[in-house]
């Protein structure tokens, strides 16, 4: 009976770790959604709330770290359990970075609200963010279900985010060349788009951890990427439409 209680307590601790990751990921999804909504609407108050709420995500990462370390020290897990606990540590780190990027979007939103700026790209940024928010939701489902196939699908989907980011990068550079008064606002929007693109990268990192837990090894192939901004050159007078 005592052994049954020990096993039950251990299972409960593992479940608690899963729930904490799910809660942390859900908050990250909300943070990104609200940060982009604040940008689109020019809502400084909402942006400020996003900035303040980032501390909650930081605290949750600390809780995951503490629980995972205690499980390793006290339970001496093996095989899939050990992989799951190690993955939880890495997933929490990825999610904490997602929270940081959402906070950065909110900070730049406050700056953008202080001056006139190019708004025609807001729809594209919102669409890009919507794709990433869907990736977050799906990766949390995959994490709780230990669904490696769904995780692999999410990993592939990041290419679409990269493509939008590359297109938006060229568009914003063109606006800056057409009118120097656009430089400040377009620069902040470039960073916002890059923040969203990086969130997509971190979510694919979570997907790879799920594959590691289920299959016992990380994906052997390179992460699919379709971001060409490092090689983008826009010449003055060139029509980028």
């Amino acid at each position: 009976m005592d052994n049954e209680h020990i096993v039950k307590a251990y299972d409960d601790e593992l479940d608690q770790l899963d729930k904490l990751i799910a809660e942390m990921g859900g908050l990250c999804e909300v943070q990104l959604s609200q940060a982009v909504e604040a940008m689109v609407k020019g809502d400084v108050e909402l942006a400020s709330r996003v900035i303040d709420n980032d501390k909650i995500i930081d605290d949750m990462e600390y809780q995951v770290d503490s629980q995972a370390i205690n499980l390793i020290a006290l339970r001496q897990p093996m095989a899939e359990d050990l992989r799951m606990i190690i993955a939880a540590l890495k997933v929490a780190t990825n999610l904490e970075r997602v929270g940081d990027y959402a906070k950065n979007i909110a900070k730049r939103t406050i700056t953008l609200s202080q001056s006139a700026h190019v708004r025609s790209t807001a729809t594209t940024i919102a669409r890009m963010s919507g794709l990433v928010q869907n990736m977050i939701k799906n990766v949390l489902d995959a994490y709780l279900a230990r669904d490696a196939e769904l995780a692999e699908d999410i990993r592939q989907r990041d290419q679409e985010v990269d493509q939008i980011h590359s297109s938006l990068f060229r568009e914003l550079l063109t606006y800056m060349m057409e009118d120097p008064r656009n430089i400040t606002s377009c620069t902040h929007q470039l960073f916002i788009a890059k923040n969203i693109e990086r969130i997509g990268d971190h979510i694919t990192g979570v997907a790879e951890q799920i594959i590691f837990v289920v299959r016992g090894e990380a994906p052997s192939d390179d992460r699919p990427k379709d971001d060409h901004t490092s090689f983008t050159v826009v010449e003055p007078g060139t029509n980028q439409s």
Side-chain angles (χ1 to χ4, degrees):
M1 182 65 69
D2 288 343
N3 187 57
E4 289 180 5
H5 286 161
I6 291 172
V7 171
K8 176 66 165 57
Y10 179 41
D11 288 342
D12 288 346
E13 289 167 358
L14 292 174
D15 288 344
Q16 187 178 11
L17 193 61
D18 272 358
K19 290 176 182 176
L20 192 54
I21 290 289
E23 185 180 354
M24 188 178 179
L27 182 55
C28 286
E29 183 184 353
V30 170
Q31 284 282 92
L32 174 59
S33 174
Q34 292 185 345
V36 174
E37 179 185 351
M39 184 211 70
V40 172
K41 296 180 177 178
D43 190 334
V44 173
E45 182 178 345
L46 180 57
S48 297
R49 287 206 302 272
V50 171
I51 294 169
D52 291 341
N53 287 340
D54 181 62
K55 187 179 184 302
I56 301 174
I57 295 176
D58 293 342
D59 290 343
M60 294 178 78
E61 183 195 20
Y62 177 78
Q63 292 178 50
V64 171
D65 288 352
S66 296
Q67 289 189 24
I69 291 169
N70 285 337
L71 279 165
I72 292 171
L74 301 176
R75 301 297 187 181
Q76 299 181 343
M78 299 177 64
E80 185 174 344
D81 285 349
L82 179 59
R83 293 199 302 273
M84 189 191 79
I85 295 168
I86 292 172
L89 288 166
K90 295 182 178 180
V91 167
T93 298
N94 277 295
L95 293 177
E96 190 276 334
R97 293 299 295 141
V98 170
D100 285 345
Y101 284 123
K103 179 176 70 173
N104 191 269
I105 292 168
K107 286 181 176 180
R108 293 186 184 279
T109 289
I110 293 173
T111 302
L112 283 171
S113 71
Q114 297 170 2
S115 61
H117 61 279
V118 174
R119 294 186 179 274
S120 60
T121 54
T123 300
T124 304
I125 291 175
R127 180 163 63 91
M128 183 180 173
S129 175
L131 290 173
V132 175
Q133 289 168 47
N134 188 255
M135 287 173 63
I136 296 173
K137 179 182 181 301
N138 288 162
V139 87
L140 293 174
D141 291 342
Y143 181 85
L144 294 175
R146 305 293 188 263
D147 189 334
E149 285 72 25
L150 178 56
E152 184 59 48
D153 176 66
I154 294 162
R155 192 166 173 262
Q156 298 296 327
R157 263 188 268 166
D158 189 49
Q159 292 181 85
E160 185 176 358
V161 177
D162 291 341
Q163 290 167 1
I164 296 174
H165 178 239
S166 294
S167 175
L168 191 58
F169 185 86
R170 295 178 69 89
E171 184 178 355
L172 286 166
L173 285 184
T174 302
Y175 287 142
M176 286 191 278
M177 287 190 298
E178 288 176 346
D179 188 343
R181 291 173 296 182
N182 292 330
I183 290 175
T184 296
S185 65
C186 286
T187 299
H188 285 293
Q189 289 183 72
L190 281 172
F191 277 107
I192 287 172
K194 184 61 179 178
N195 289 160
I196 297 171
E197 187 271 335
R198 289 295 294 134
I199 290 174
D201 287 343
H202 282 286
I203 296 307
T204 57
V206 174
E208 288 172 355
Q209 289 303 314
I210 296 166
I211 295 169
F212 165 71
V213 170
V214 176
R215 298 176 180 169
E217 58 183 12
S220 58
D221 58 323
D222 292 334
R223 180 183 300 178
K225 293 292 294 179
D226 204 5
D227 184 0
H228 304 295
T229 56
S230 297
F231 311 103
T232 298
V233 176
V234 178
E235 298 292 345
T238 303
N239 187 352
Q240 297 299 321
S241 60

